[in-house]
Amino acid sequence: MSIYQIYGDELMNVNEKLKRYIEQSVFPQYKLNDKGHQIEHIKYVINRCYKLSKNMNIDIDMLYVIAAYHDIGHHVDYKNHEKVSAQIMYNDANLKKFFSNEHLMKEAIEDHRASLDREPRSIYGKLLSSADRNIDVDDSLKRIYLYSITHFNKLSEEETIEECYKHTLKKFGNNGYANFFLEDNDYNNYLKELHNLLSNKEKFIERLKKIISKIK
């Protein structure tokens, strides 16, 4: 199934040759990533990018590409994946058939990380960074768990659950490092629900265990 069939009209105007290249040559590489950063996450980010950019004067081909590449280097170096992913995109000679401004696209990918201590340098960076944040609590917890069992695989199940709680609190708590650069009611509602869950650790663990039971 193509990305167009999944997301419909949002991709109607994306260059067809570009879209075909990304689907056939770029998307398959996401199988190398942990399960929290594979193709379903990329499709989610592409969709969110288009929703957040509605009524903005942006190049939809550029937006499509930066979303499609933004986590491609995660399996290479997850701690610096934004830089690795940006360089992979920048070095892709096939993109030169479609663009002459890869530097702006490279910057947008470099700027998407939640822990970035400054604002992204362009509207494309702001869109990608914001689109990369979850708006569904269960999906967010699932991705955090999948990330943890891959990168902290020596922990016991109980230790992994504890790590998930600490990570979620550190990232999305009241003083969390996750930034969001655009106004969006869906994200605001997500944060309210997540903050409420984080305020009761027992409920958080109970909900996470239910999510884990569906994965296994």
Side-chain angles (χ1 to χ4, degrees):
M1 182 179 288
S2 74
I3 192 75
Y4 171 73
Q5 289 173 305
I6 293 171
Y7 292 113
D9 292 343
E10 288 91 347
L11 294 175
M12 179 73 75
N13 297 317
V14 173
N15 182 295
E16 191 61 38
K17 290 183 179 179
L18 173 65
K19 191 165 51 177
R20 190 179 309 116
Y21 170 68
I22 297 297
E23 289 183 1
Q24 295 177 354
S25 301
V26 177
F27 286 168
Q29 297 181 50
Y30 277 96
K31 293 178 181 178
L32 299 172
N33 285 352
D34 68 69
K35 291 183 179 179
H37 292 85
Q38 292 190 356
I39 191 60
E40 289 308 313
H41 170 64
I42 303 309
K43 292 173 182 177
Y44 163 82
V45 172
I46 290 171
N47 190 37
R48 285 284 289 160
C49 273
Y50 282 97
K51 288 184 177 180
L52 291 171
S53 67
K54 192 173 183 180
N55 300 322
M56 290 184 182
N57 183 23
I58 52 94
D59 184 317
I60 60 171
D61 288 349
M62 285 177 56
L63 191 60
Y64 176 68
V65 168
I66 64 172
Y69 279 80
H70 83 278
D71 277 345
I72 199 168
H74 202 279
H75 69 281
V76 178
D77 181 0
Y78 72 92
K79 292 183 178 179
N80 297 287
H81 76 276
E82 72 283 5
K83 296 177 183 177
V84 176
S85 299
Q87 197 63 49
I88 291 171
M89 185 283 304
Y90 192 71
N91 291 341
D92 190 338
N94 289 291
L95 294 179
K96 298 187 185 302
K97 302 172 185 176
F98 305 97
F99 303 102
S100 60
N101 49 0
E102 295 98 324
H103 185 71
L104 178 61
M105 296 157 67
K106 179 174 179 285
E107 287 184 346
I109 296 174
E110 289 172 343
D111 291 351
H112 87 267
R113 192 157 189 156
S115 56
L116 188 71
D117 59 1
R118 56 173 173 76
E119 283 201 8
R121 287 165 282 186
S122 72
I123 187 58
Y124 294 95
K126 291 179 181 179
L127 282 166
L128 178 61
S129 179
S130 299
D132 198 34
R133 310 293 161 257
N134 281 88
I135 56 172
D136 181 275
V137 170
D138 284 356
D139 186 56
S140 180
L141 298 185
K142 177 183 177 181
R143 292 188 65 238
I144 289 169
Y145 175 76
L146 291 171
Y147 174 91
S148 296
I149 61 175
T150 300
H151 299 292
F152 304 100
N153 55 19
K154 293 183 179 180
L155 298 180
S156 67
E157 184 73 351
E158 291 303 314
E159 288 172 334
T160 299
I161 289 171
E162 179 67 24
E163 173 62 29
C164 288
Y165 178 77
K166 290 180 179 178
H167 178 81
T168 307
L169 188 64
K170 183 178 180 181
K171 186 173 182 178
F172 295 107
N174 291 326
N175 296 308
Y177 65 78
N179 294 308
F180 197 90
F181 299 100
L182 302 171
E183 184 59 37
D184 181 62
N185 288 332
D186 289 335
Y187 186 71
N188 291 338
N189 291 334
Y190 159 81
L191 280 183
K192 288 178 183 178
E193 182 181 355
L194 189 57
H195 287 168
N196 184 56
L197 190 60
L198 285 167
S199 68
N200 189 321
K201 188 175 180 180
E202 289 184 2
K203 286 186 177 180
F204 178 95
I205 292 174
E206 180 183 354
R207 187 159 172 178
L208 180 58
K209 284 184 175 179
K210 287 181 180 179
I211 294 168
I212 294 170
S213 69
K214 295 176 182 178
I215 297 173
K216 294 184 175 181

